[in-house]
Amino acid sequence: MLELKNVSTQYGQIPILMNVSINLEAGEAVCLLGANGAGKTTLLKTILGMVKPVSGEVVFNGQVISKLPPHQIIKSGIAIVPEREGLFPKLSLENNLLMGAYYEEDKAKIQERVKEVFKIFPWIEKRIHQKAGTLSGGERKMLGVARALLANPQVMLMDEPSLGLAPATVNEVFTVIQNIKKEKNIALLIIEQNAQKALSVVERGYVLQKGSIIVQGTSEELYNDDFVQKSYLCVD
Ligand SMILES: Nc1ncnc2c1ncn2[C@@H]1O[C@H](COP(=O)(O)OP(=O)(O)O)[C@@H](O)[C@H]1O
Ligand SMILES: [Mg+2]
């Protein structure tokens, strides 16, 4: 459904992604593991059209999207939960949430999605008029996920959902991811450094190192991979 075909990107003259090929099928959950600076966020920005490939292409539902502007790509069904949630701290949870439905004109549909989101995140409904700036790190992360759901996407990109969160909160975030997987037919591409957690919710994964995919396989294959164990699972 979503495919990067031999994608290379550069910032100026500096190569970042090198011949990256990955794919994501409808309803599937896939993780992309990689150290700081490996190019993970750049890969997501490339999917969203914010970074243009110097070679290769991004294909979504059979259409090359890598030349489209970001708003058109987002409109076509790809939502993102950015690394730093990108919320508006002075606005209410409600207004932050509704930004996810920016491209939906049908008010009834928006209301329906809001109700569904309240089922997954009851606390958001209770605090809907509170300002987003008053939320804890974990709550902000959840609101970022909720906002992405308001777009009713076919694909949700999540940039390091566990980053900067306490272990118990990381568990809560991954429980939410697990629920979304169960209840919705959304394909998830989860960027993570927490391989233990990521591999527990996805079917497959890739490892990105210095801009290249160096390992790929099922979650089980990645669990048992020497490189993944040494670099991400702290197994000696
Ligand atoms: N806008 C930019 N201009 C120039 N270099 C950048 C820019 N954004 C990121 N980089 C560099 O590209 C590399 C990959 O960054 P990034 O994709 O953010 O990595 P990751 O998300 O895996 O930590 C890093 O060396 C980073 O410093
Ligand atoms: Mg990043």
Side-chain angles (χ1 to χ4, degrees):
M1 178 178 61
L2 177 67
E3 190 175 7
L4 273 75
K5 291 184 174 170
N6 296 312
V7 167
S8 297
T9 63
Q10 292 177 192
Y11 289 123
Q13 294 301 308
I14 304 168
I16 305 294
L17 298 180
M18 280 165 280
N19 263 313
V20 169
S21 295
I22 68 168
N23 74 297
L24 186 66
E25 299 308 325
E28 186 185 34
V30 167
C31 72
L32 180 80
L33 306 174
N36 287 334
K40 304 181 299 298
T41 298
T42 302
L43 188 149
L44 292 191
K45 286 184 174 169
T46 307
I47 294 174
L48 289 172
M50 295 156 73
V51 172
K52 299 295 175 193
V54 290
S55 61
E57 57 190 20
V58 183
V59 180
F60 182 47
N61 290 328
Q63 192 200 354
V64 177
I65 59 167
S66 23
K67 290 199 170 68
L68 299 178
H71 71 268
Q72 236 168 299
I73 296 174
I74 291 167
K75 229 170 153 175
S76 75
I78 302 179
I80 181 157
V81 185
E83 201 170 306
R84 289 172 226 292
E85 309 81 18
L87 300 172
F88 296 86
K90 295 208 169 128
L91 296 185
S92 65
L93 303 200
E94 183 171 34
N95 285 328
N96 273 283
L97 195 58
L98 290 174
M99 293 212 185
Y102 187 79
Y103 293 114
E104 181 55 67
E105 278 158 20
D106 186 335
K107 293 231 165 71
K109 273 192 192 159
I110 296 176
Q111 274 321 305
E112 206 176 291
R113 289 180 203 166
V114 167
K115 269 195 206 145
E116 280 182 32
V117 159
F118 286 166
K119 267 193 248 158
I120 304 175
F121 307 96
W123 66 270
I124 294 183
E125 182 172 18
K126 289 197 193 107
R127 295 161 68 181
I128 195 76
H129 299 300
Q130 198 172 319
K131 286 185 178 154
T134 63
L135 298 179
S136 70
E139 289 163 347
R140 286 206 306 271
K141 196 63 82 177
M142 310 272 196
L143 184 58
V145 175
R147 181 186 53 189
L149 287 174
L150 259 263
N152 194 28
Q154 290 176 54
V155 175
M156 190 150 90
L157 312 173
M158 307 183 87
D159 199 351
E160 301 205 38
S162 77
L163 192 72
L165 301 179
T169 315
V170 170
N171 287 342
E172 281 173 33
V173 169
F174 274 90
T175 302
V176 162
I177 294 174
Q178 196 72 269
N179 286 343
I180 291 171
K181 259 193 71 176
K182 232 185 285 162
E183 314 239 328
K184 314 224 169 242
N185 191 36
I186 302 176
L188 302 176
L189 179 60
I190 305 171
I191 305 277
E192 261 302 337
Q193 301 200 41
N194 187 335
Q196 192 77 46
K197 276 287 155 197
L199 291 175
S200 72
V201 297
V202 300
E203 282 94 55
R204 289 192 300 121
Y206 298 89
V207 178
L208 186 71
Q209 194 186 32
K210 295 183 182 147
S212 299
I213 299 291
I214 56 161
V215 184
Q216 58 179 294
T218 63
S219 307
E220 199 180 330
E221 284 165 348
L222 292 184
Y223 261 124
N224 295 317
D225 182 86
D226 281 348
F227 180 80
V228 174
Q229 290 194 350
K230 278 207 189 80
S231 309
Y232 296 98
L233 297 167
C234 306
V235 178
D236 293 319

